[in-house]
Amino acid sequence: MIPHAFGHVAGVAGESDASSGGALALVLVVLALATVAATGLVDRSHPRNPIPRRRIAALLIGLGTVAIALVSPLDGLADDAYSWHMIQHLLLTFVAAPLIVLGAPITLALRASPAGFRRRILVPALHSLPVRVLAHPVVGWLALIVVSWAIHLTPLYAAALEDQGIHEVEHALLLASGLLFWSPVVAADPVPWRLDHGARFAFVALALPLLSLLGVVIYSAPAPLWADYVARAAATGTDPLVDQRLAGAIMWAGGDMLLLAGLGFVAGDWFVTQRQRAARTGRALDHRARERAGRLADGPT
């Protein structure tokens, strides 16, 4: 049975903290400027092999999505309504995270770094045991599932509503688990563990029912889960149970649609890879046939 109304009533620490929001906005701006500067550096150094613009666009849009989720008016709305809070969380895990990994930030950092720094610092770090463990697909898959369920259905959620520090840790966990989950799916960066397309498809497909179930559990709860939202709903004249059911529906339907988009990405990449492989095989066979024909033509008559 789901506990009724976790948390204390009318906590105030969940209110948007302007100073922390400003600091995060500054960090995101710095990262965006660093991305543009690194791209320009690589393009000037390697004009025949520039950074693909689609990757830079994905990375910048991903950072922008983090800003929309955490430093826009959406963050204030999320303090007062579970449904807005769920939208915020989906943006972090299922929109911002895959876009950031699609932008291949590790590849950009490797290409833009001086050779000595890359050889002595970046490459050893990428091959270190902690990175190899964190980058393992099983770790990323479990991280997203465990973090999603723990944050939305344990007292940690109520604690985050009342304490700004815990709230920020919650958001960091959601984004980090999303990055770990989507990294082997997108496979844009050089990661220690590689999955073939079939494994990548199964990786996402197996996560879909568990995350759908989370939405169903929230939607089906017979009473409000969080006392903070009950108090805030009373102040705004809204029904906390209706808002909670909307949040569950957003997690259920919205999460499913975004994960299905991930499956579509993997299937599309799989199809393109197979066509490219078939084209290379065809060119190789044609080359061998021309060589054989040439040898026959040059042979004795």
Side-chain angles (χ1 to χ4, degrees):
M1 180 177 294
I2 300 172
H4 171 67
F6 279 125
H8 304 294
V9 176
V12 296
E15 296 177 1
S16 180
D17 187 325
S19 61
S20 62
L24 178 59
L26 179 60
V27 169
L28 292 172
V29 169
V30 169
L31 289 175
L33 292 175
T35 297
V36 173
T39 302
L41 178 62
V42 173
D43 289 352
R44 288 192 298 272
S45 302
H46 306 280
R48 295 186 178 181
N49 187 24
I51 300 295
R53 290 300 178 261
R54 65 183 182 278
R55 287 191 173 183
I56 300 306
L59 185 50
L60 293 175
I61 294 172
L63 293 174
T65 303
V66 175
I68 291 172
L70 300 182
V71 296
S72 76
L74 174 59
D75 191 47
L77 293 171
D79 286 337
D80 295 326
Y82 198 4
S83 53
W84 284 109
H85 213 148
M86 191 63 74
I87 291 172
Q88 184 183 48
H89 290 181
L90 288 184
L91 285 175
L92 289 173
T93 53
F94 295 141
V95 180
L99 284 172
I100 289 172
V101 297
L102 184 60
I106 296 174
T107 300
L108 178 60
L110 288 169
R111 295 191 65 187
S113 299
F117 180 79
R118 180 170 60 247
R119 184 176 59 255
R120 291 192 302 270
I121 305 296
L122 290 183
V123 172
L126 290 174
H127 289 89
S128 66
L129 181 60
V131 171
R132 289 181 60 82
V133 171
L134 284 174
H136 197 285
V138 173
V139 173
W141 192 90
L142 289 174
L144 182 64
I145 302 301
V146 171
V147 167
S148 297
W149 277 80
I151 281 178
H152 292 102
L153 284 180
T154 71
L156 177 62
Y157 192 92
L161 290 173
E162 300 172 5
D163 186 288
Q164 183 64 21
I166 297 176
H167 200 178
E168 291 168 0
V169 170
E170 174 191 82
H171 291 155
L173 287 173
L174 285 166
L175 181 58
S177 64
L179 293 172
L180 292 175
F181 177 87
W182 290 105
S183 181
V185 175
V186 174
D189 271 324
V191 292
W193 310 94
R194 305 293 295 185
L195 298 177
D196 61 29
H197 285 90
R200 289 159 62 188
F201 194 91
F203 185 89
V204 179
L206 289 172
L208 197 153
L210 291 175
L211 293 169
S212 294
L213 180 60
L214 173 59
V216 172
V217 169
I218 295 170
Y219 180 86
S220 304
L225 295 171
W226 314 114
D228 296 76
Y229 282 142
V230 173
R232 295 172 192 186
T236 58
T238 59
D239 187 328
L241 187 57
V242 170
D243 176 59
Q244 182 172 286
R245 287 175 176 166
L246 178 58
I250 289 170
M251 180 69 199
W252 184 3
D256 280 4
M257 287 189 293
L258 292 168
L259 285 169
L260 287 172
L263 289 174
F265 170 85
V266 174
D269 189 59
W270 197 350
F271 176 75
V272 169
T273 300
Q274 290 297 103
R275 288 196 61 179
Q276 291 173 341
R277 186 175 300 166
R280 287 195 299 269
T281 301
R283 288 194 296 268
L285 292 174
D286 288 345
H287 179 69
R288 292 174 186 173
R290 287 194 297 269
E291 285 185 335
R292 188 178 299 112
R295 286 195 297 271
L296 291 174
D298 293 339
T301 55

